[in-house]
Amino acid sequence: MNATNSQSPTIVLVHGALTDASVWHGVIRLTQAAGHHVVAPSLPLRGLASGAAYLASFLESVPGPIVLVAHSYAGSVISHPATLDPKVKALVFIAAFQPDAGESAAELNEKFPGSKLGPATTTVVPRPGGNDMYLKPEAFGEVYAGDVAPDVVSVMAAAQCPIDPAALGETLPARATWHDLPSWALVSTRDLSLPPQLLGFTARRAGSHIVEVESSHAVPVSHPREVTEVVLEAVRCALS
């Protein structure tokens, strides 16, 4: 492994719903091998505002500059104005929501057809103070990880990090961070969780640099090299 480049930005990888930071393992290996400092915090999936507050607090402990990378639901979190830390120099959305003020993840995901996330494929379990939503194990491969090896899909389905469905209905309270920062967006063209049309629409609206990959929603797992290339392009921008 190459020595970490102390002059380069810290890459912060934020996981989305139904998975934990392990979704980034392949990307972490590649970015570390390229000599970059990378961290992947565990995001609480209880609410948009609370998740953004948690991430903002975490970023305070991270040396700058920072390239902030999100997968899936975490795109809503890094779009939240609470996360607009001055050390953040670029945003990367990997098959991720890019909401603007007044929009929720749930609303955006219904804007275009194609998502198979819904009552037929999910289950909601009550917990103290709220609810936890999971993908049904038998639906995990088709809906989330269609191009991932079956044995890996089985592990991912068993180790889900559920999200409180109320978080998906929370709206962004003000202007999104991507208005003020350069951004990149990877569109997963075989995505059955977030419709590719949605990903393309929000990426174009944000003026993001767009890369398309023929992938399921689990693109950090199935295509870590392509994801890493997008992240490193953002890193190069942050250094310029």
PDB file of all heavy atoms in Angstrom, residues 69-95:
ATOM      1  N   VAL A  69     -18.531  11.955   0.094  1.00  0.00           N
ATOM      2  CA  VAL A  69     -19.092  10.996  -0.860  1.00  0.00           C
ATOM      3  C   VAL A  69     -20.277  10.293  -0.220  1.00  0.00           C
ATOM      4  O   VAL A  69     -20.198   9.836   0.925  1.00  0.00           O
ATOM      5  CB  VAL A  69     -18.033   9.957  -1.274  1.00  0.00           C
ATOM      6  CG1 VAL A  69     -18.576   9.029  -2.348  1.00  0.00           C
ATOM      7  CG2 VAL A  69     -16.740  10.631  -1.722  1.00  0.00           C
ATOM      8  N   ALA A  70     -21.379  10.183  -0.958  1.00  0.00           N
ATOM      9  CA  ALA A  70     -22.581   9.548  -0.417  1.00  0.00           C
ATOM     10  C   ALA A  70     -23.112   8.496  -1.368  1.00  0.00           C
ATOM     11  O   ALA A  70     -23.063   8.653  -2.584  1.00  0.00           O
ATOM     12  CB  ALA A  70     -23.659  10.598  -0.167  1.00  0.00           C
ATOM     13  N   HIS A  71     -23.664   7.449  -0.775  1.00  0.00           N
ATOM     14  CA  HIS A  71     -24.383   6.435  -1.535  1.00  0.00           C
ATOM     15  C   HIS A  71     -25.851   6.455  -1.117  1.00  0.00           C
ATOM     16  O   HIS A  71     -26.167   6.577   0.066  1.00  0.00           O
ATOM     17  CB  HIS A  71     -23.801   5.040  -1.264  1.00  0.00           C
ATOM     18  CG  HIS A  71     -24.522   3.924  -1.963  1.00  0.00           C
ATOM     19  ND1 HIS A  71     -25.002   2.817  -1.298  1.00  0.00           N
ATOM     20  CD2 HIS A  71     -24.854   3.746  -3.272  1.00  0.00           C
ATOM     21  CE1 HIS A  71     -25.591   1.999  -2.169  1.00  0.00           C
ATOM     22  NE2 HIS A  71     -25.514   2.535  -3.364  1.00  0.00           N
ATOM     23  N   SER A  72     -26.747   6.395  -2.109  1.00  0.00           N
ATOM     24  CA  SER A  72     -28.158   6.155  -1.846  1.00  0.00           C
ATOM     25  C   SER A  72     -28.786   7.267  -0.994  1.00  0.00           C
ATOM     26  O   SER A  72     -28.657   8.452  -1.285  1.00  0.00           O
ATOM     27  CB  SER A  72     -28.308   4.778  -1.189  1.00  0.00           C
ATOM     28  OG  SER A  72     -29.645   4.368  -1.120  1.00  0.00           O
ATOM     29  N   TYR A  73     -29.464   6.888   0.093  1.00  0.00           N
ATOM     30  CA  TYR A  73     -30.123   7.849   0.986  1.00  0.00           C
ATOM     31  C   TYR A  73     -29.158   8.895   1.523  1.00  0.00           C
ATOM     32  O   TYR A  73     -29.554  10.045   1.781  1.00  0.00           O
ATOM     33  CB  TYR A  73     -30.787   7.087   2.142  1.00  0.00           C
ATOM     34  CG  TYR A  73     -31.168   7.964   3.306  1.00  0.00           C
ATOM     35  CD1 TYR A  73     -32.290   8.800   3.238  1.00  0.00           C
ATOM     36  CD2 TYR A  73     -30.399   7.967   4.474  1.00  0.00           C
ATOM     37  CE1 TYR A  73     -32.622   9.606   4.313  1.00  0.00           C
ATOM     38  CE2 TYR A  73     -30.736   8.768   5.545  1.00  0.00           C
ATOM     39  CZ  TYR A  73     -31.856   9.595   5.466  1.00  0.00           C
ATOM     40  OH  TYR A  73     -32.182  10.398   6.526  1.00  0.00           O
ATOM     41  N   ALA A  74     -27.888   8.537   1.690  1.00  0.00           N
ATOM     42  CA  ALA A  74     -26.917   9.486   2.251  1.00  0.00           C
ATOM     43  C   ALA A  74     -26.753  10.719   1.371  1.00  0.00           C
ATOM     44  O   ALA A  74     -26.276  11.755   1.832  1.00  0.00           O
ATOM     45  CB  ALA A  74     -25.571   8.816   2.462  1.00  0.00           C
ATOM     46  N   GLY A  75     -27.164  10.632   0.098  1.00  0.00           N
ATOM     47  CA  GLY A  75     -27.150  11.817  -0.736  1.00  0.00           C
ATOM     48  C   GLY A  75     -28.035  12.915  -0.168  1.00  0.00           C
ATOM     49  O   GLY A  75     -27.723  14.110  -0.287  1.00  0.00           O
ATOM     50  N   SER A  76     -29.157  12.539   0.448  1.00  0.00           N
ATOM     51  CA  SER A  76     -30.012  13.523   1.110  1.00  0.00           C
ATOM     52  C   SER A  76     -29.289  14.152   2.289  1.00  0.00           C
ATOM     53  O   SER A  76     -29.422  15.350   2.550  1.00  0.00           O
ATOM     54  CB  SER A  76     -31.311  12.865   1.591  1.00  0.00           C
ATOM     55  OG  SER A  76     -32.108  12.454   0.509  1.00  0.00           O
ATOM     56  N   VAL A  77     -28.512  13.344   2.992  1.00  0.00           N
ATOM     57  CA  VAL A  77     -27.802  13.835   4.175  1.00  0.00           C
ATOM     58  C   VAL A  77     -26.717  14.828   3.784  1.00  0.00           C
ATOM     59  O   VAL A  77     -26.591  15.902   4.388  1.00  0.00           O
ATOM     60  CB  VAL A  77     -27.220  12.661   4.979  1.00  0.00           C
ATOM     61  CG1 VAL A  77     -26.456  13.164   6.201  1.00  0.00           C
ATOM     62  CG2 VAL A  77     -28.333  11.707   5.414  1.00  0.00           C
ATOM     63  N   ILE A  78     -25.916  14.518   2.757  1.00  0.00           N
ATOM     64  CA  ILE A  78     -24.844  15.450   2.396  1.00  0.00           C
ATOM     65  C   ILE A  78     -25.383  16.655   1.626  1.00  0.00           C
ATOM     66  O   ILE A  78     -24.668  17.649   1.458  1.00  0.00           O
ATOM     67  CB  ILE A  78     -23.699  14.769   1.616  1.00  0.00           C
ATOM     68  CG1 ILE A  78     -24.097  14.428   0.180  1.00  0.00           C
ATOM     69  CG2 ILE A  78     -23.179  13.548   2.375  1.00  0.00           C
ATOM     70  CD1 ILE A  78     -22.909  14.039  -0.695  1.00  0.00           C
ATOM     71  N   SER A  79     -26.635  16.592   1.181  1.00  0.00           N
ATOM     72  CA  SER A  79     -27.279  17.759   0.570  1.00  0.00           C
ATOM     73  C   SER A  79     -27.836  18.714   1.626  1.00  0.00           C
ATOM     74  O   SER A  79     -28.140  19.874   1.321  1.00  0.00           O
ATOM     75  CB  SER A  79     -28.427  17.319  -0.343  1.00  0.00           C
ATOM     76  OG  SER A  79     -27.959  16.586  -1.451  1.00  0.00           O
ATOM     77  N   HIS A  80     -27.977  18.236   2.847  1.00  0.00           N
ATOM     78  CA  HIS A  80     -28.573  19.035   3.930  1.00  0.00           C
ATOM     79  C   HIS A  80     -27.654  20.201   4.273  1.00  0.00           C
ATOM     80  O   HIS A  80     -26.438  20.029   4.426  1.00  0.00           O
ATOM     81  CB  HIS A  80     -28.784  18.149   5.164  1.00  0.00           C
ATOM     82  CG  HIS A  80     -29.692  18.730   6.189  1.00  0.00           C
ATOM     83  ND1 HIS A  80     -29.352  19.815   6.964  1.00  0.00           N
ATOM     84  CD2 HIS A  80     -30.961  18.374   6.567  1.00  0.00           C
ATOM     85  CE1 HIS A  80     -30.353  20.093   7.793  1.00  0.00           C
ATOM     86  NE2 HIS A  80     -31.341  19.239   7.556  1.00  0.00           N
ATOM     87  N   PRO A  81     -28.198  21.409   4.414  1.00  0.00           N
ATOM     88  CA  PRO A  81     -27.339  22.570   4.685  1.00  0.00           C
ATOM     89  C   PRO A  81     -26.533  22.470   5.978  1.00  0.00           C
ATOM     90  O   PRO A  81     -25.490  23.130   6.097  1.00  0.00           O
ATOM     91  CB  PRO A  81     -28.324  23.743   4.731  1.00  0.00           C
ATOM     92  CG  PRO A  81     -29.680  23.129   4.903  1.00  0.00           C
ATOM     93  CD  PRO A  81     -29.609  21.786   4.246  1.00  0.00           C
ATOM     94  N   ALA A  82     -26.962  21.632   6.904  1.00  0.00           N
ATOM     95  CA  ALA A  82     -26.211  21.474   8.148  1.00  0.00           C
ATOM     96  C   ALA A  82     -24.828  20.875   7.922  1.00  0.00           C
ATOM     97  O   ALA A  82     -23.932  21.024   8.756  1.00  0.00           O
ATOM     98  CB  ALA A  82     -26.991  20.607   9.135  1.00  0.00           C
ATOM     99  N   THR A  83     -24.637  20.199   6.799  1.00  0.00           N
ATOM    100  CA  THR A  83     -23.350  19.548   6.524  1.00  0.00           C
ATOM    101  C   THR A  83     -22.406  20.419   5.699  1.00  0.00           C
ATOM    102  O   THR A  83     -21.356  19.961   5.273  1.00  0.00           O
ATOM    103  CB  THR A  83     -23.558  18.204   5.797  1.00  0.00           C
ATOM    104  OG1 THR A  83     -24.102  18.455   4.499  1.00  0.00           O
ATOM    105  CG2 THR A  83     -24.495  17.301   6.585  1.00  0.00           C
ATOM    106  N   LEU A  84     -22.759  21.681   5.490  1.00  0.00           N
ATOM    107  CA  LEU A  84     -21.936  22.562   4.657  1.00  0.00           C
ATOM    108  C   LEU A  84     -20.743  23.076   5.461  1.00  0.00           C
ATOM    109  O   LEU A  84     -20.616  24.263   5.761  1.00  0.00           O
ATOM    110  CB  LEU A  84     -22.769  23.723   4.113  1.00  0.00           C
ATOM    111  CG  LEU A  84     -22.149  24.528   2.963  1.00  0.00           C
ATOM    112  CD1 LEU A  84     -21.893  23.631   1.756  1.00  0.00           C
ATOM    113  CD2 LEU A  84     -23.071  25.675   2.570  1.00  0.00           C
ATOM    114  N   ASP A  85     -19.850  22.153   5.803  1.00  0.00           N
ATOM    115  CA  ASP A  85     -18.619  22.486   6.522  1.00  0.00           C
ATOM    116  C   ASP A  85     -17.667  23.181   5.553  1.00  0.00           C
ATOM    117  O   ASP A  85     -17.508  22.746   4.414  1.00  0.00           O
ATOM    118  CB  ASP A  85     -17.994  21.182   7.045  1.00  0.00           C
ATOM    119  CG  ASP A  85     -16.823  21.422   7.968  1.00  0.00           C
ATOM    120  OD1 ASP A  85     -15.797  21.974   7.497  1.00  0.00           O
ATOM    121  OD2 ASP A  85     -16.914  21.037   9.146  1.00  0.00           O
ATOM    122  N   PRO A  86     -17.018  24.268   5.975  1.00  0.00           N
ATOM    123  CA  PRO A  86     -16.109  24.976   5.055  1.00  0.00           C
ATOM    124  C   PRO A  86     -14.940  24.127   4.574  1.00  0.00           C
ATOM    125  O   PRO A  86     -14.303  24.467   3.568  1.00  0.00           O
ATOM    126  CB  PRO A  86     -15.632  26.174   5.879  1.00  0.00           C
ATOM    127  CG  PRO A  86     -15.924  25.831   7.301  1.00  0.00           C
ATOM    128  CD  PRO A  86     -17.127  24.955   7.277  1.00  0.00           C
ATOM    129  N   LYS A  87     -14.648  23.031   5.256  1.00  0.00           N
ATOM    130  CA  LYS A  87     -13.559  22.155   4.812  1.00  0.00           C
ATOM    131  C   LYS A  87     -13.958  21.285   3.628  1.00  0.00           C
ATOM    132  O   LYS A  87     -13.099  20.739   2.939  1.00  0.00           O
ATOM    133  CB  LYS A  87     -13.104  21.257   5.974  1.00  0.00           C
ATOM    134  CG  LYS A  87     -12.445  22.003   7.121  1.00  0.00           C
ATOM    135  CD  LYS A  87     -12.041  21.051   8.242  1.00  0.00           C
ATOM    136  CE  LYS A  87     -13.246  20.444   8.918  1.00  0.00           C
ATOM    137  NZ  LYS A  87     -12.890  19.601  10.094  1.00  0.00           N
ATOM    138  N   VAL A  88     -15.267  21.137   3.392  1.00  0.00           N
ATOM    139  CA  VAL A  88     -15.739  20.305   2.287  1.00  0.00           C
ATOM    140  C   VAL A  88     -15.539  21.052   0.979  1.00  0.00           C
ATOM    141  O   VAL A  88     -16.056  22.153   0.786  1.00  0.00           O
ATOM    142  CB  VAL A  88     -17.219  19.915   2.468  1.00  0.00           C
ATOM    143  CG1 VAL A  88     -17.697  19.108   1.261  1.00  0.00           C
ATOM    144  CG2 VAL A  88     -17.407  19.107   3.752  1.00  0.00           C
ATOM    145  N   LYS A  89     -14.788  20.436   0.066  1.00  0.00           N
ATOM    146  CA  LYS A  89     -14.440  21.083  -1.202  1.00  0.00           C
ATOM    147  C   LYS A  89     -15.159  20.485  -2.406  1.00  0.00           C
ATOM    148  O   LYS A  89     -15.188  21.100  -3.472  1.00  0.00           O
ATOM    149  CB  LYS A  89     -12.924  20.988  -1.426  1.00  0.00           C
ATOM    150  CG  LYS A  89     -12.091  21.596  -0.292  1.00  0.00           C
ATOM    151  CD  LYS A  89     -12.441  23.058  -0.041  1.00  0.00           C
ATOM    152  CE  LYS A  89     -11.628  23.648   1.097  1.00  0.00           C
ATOM    153  NZ  LYS A  89     -12.043  25.039   1.410  1.00  0.00           N
ATOM    154  N   ALA A  90     -15.708  19.290  -2.261  1.00  0.00           N
ATOM    155  CA  ALA A  90     -16.404  18.647  -3.373  1.00  0.00           C
ATOM    156  C   ALA A  90     -17.359  17.603  -2.818  1.00  0.00           C
ATOM    157  O   ALA A  90     -17.135  17.034  -1.742  1.00  0.00           O
ATOM    158  CB  ALA A  90     -15.419  18.010  -4.348  1.00  0.00           C
ATOM    159  N   LEU A  91     -18.429  17.352  -3.571  1.00  0.00           N
ATOM    160  CA  LEU A  91     -19.430  16.353  -3.220  1.00  0.00           C
ATOM    161  C   LEU A  91     -19.501  15.300  -4.318  1.00  0.00           C
ATOM    162  O   LEU A  91     -19.411  15.626  -5.503  1.00  0.00           O
ATOM    163  CB  LEU A  91     -20.808  17.001  -3.075  1.00  0.00           C
ATOM    164  CG  LEU A  91     -20.959  18.142  -2.074  1.00  0.00           C
ATOM    165  CD1 LEU A  91     -22.334  18.786  -2.209  1.00  0.00           C
ATOM    166  CD2 LEU A  91     -20.755  17.642  -0.649  1.00  0.00           C
ATOM    167  N   VAL A  92     -19.686  14.050  -3.901  1.00  0.00           N
ATOM    168  CA  VAL A  92     -19.824  12.957  -4.861  1.00  0.00           C
ATOM    169  C   VAL A  92     -21.062  12.158  -4.483  1.00  0.00           C
ATOM    170  O   VAL A  92     -21.188  11.681  -3.350  1.00  0.00           O
ATOM    171  CB  VAL A  92     -18.588  12.041  -4.880  1.00  0.00           C
ATOM    172  CG1 VAL A  92     -18.740  10.980  -5.962  1.00  0.00           C
ATOM    173  CG2 VAL A  92     -17.315  12.848  -5.094  1.00  0.00           C
ATOM    174  N   PHE A  93     -21.968  12.009  -5.438  1.00  0.00           N
ATOM    175  CA  PHE A  93     -23.222  11.283  -5.240  1.00  0.00           C
ATOM    176  C   PHE A  93     -23.151   9.979  -6.028  1.00  0.00           C
ATOM    177  O   PHE A  93     -23.127   9.994  -7.258  1.00  0.00           O
ATOM    178  CB  PHE A  93     -24.399  12.128  -5.711  1.00  0.00           C
ATOM    179  CG  PHE A  93     -24.592  13.394  -4.918  1.00  0.00           C
ATOM    180  CD1 PHE A  93     -23.901  14.558  -5.262  1.00  0.00           C
ATOM    181  CD2 PHE A  93     -25.453  13.431  -3.833  1.00  0.00           C
ATOM    182  CE1 PHE A  93     -24.069  15.727  -4.538  1.00  0.00           C
ATOM    183  CE2 PHE A  93     -25.626  14.602  -3.106  1.00  0.00           C
ATOM    184  CZ  PHE A  93     -24.939  15.748  -3.452  1.00  0.00           C
ATOM    185  N   ILE A  94     -23.105   8.861  -5.315  1.00  0.00           N
ATOM    186  CA  ILE A  94     -23.000   7.545  -5.931  1.00  0.00           C
ATOM    187  C   ILE A  94     -24.361   6.859  -5.863  1.00  0.00           C
ATOM    188  O   ILE A  94     -24.797   6.418  -4.812  1.00  0.00           O
ATOM    189  CB  ILE A  94     -21.928   6.683  -5.224  1.00  0.00           C
ATOM    190  CG1 ILE A  94     -20.563   7.380  -5.225  1.00  0.00           C
ATOM    191  CG2 ILE A  94     -21.849   5.297  -5.868  1.00  0.00           C
ATOM    192  CD1 ILE A  94     -19.971   7.616  -6.594  1.00  0.00           C
ATOM    193  N   ALA A  95     -25.064   6.819  -7.007  1.00  0.00           N
ATOM    194  CA  ALA A  95     -26.427   6.275  -7.034  1.00  0.00           C
ATOM    195  C   ALA A  95     -27.232   6.840  -5.868  1.00  0.00           C
ATOM    196  O   ALA A  95     -27.849   6.105  -5.093  1.00  0.00           O
ATOM    197  CB  ALA A  95     -26.406   4.744  -6.986  1.00  0.00           C
TER     198      ALA A  95
END
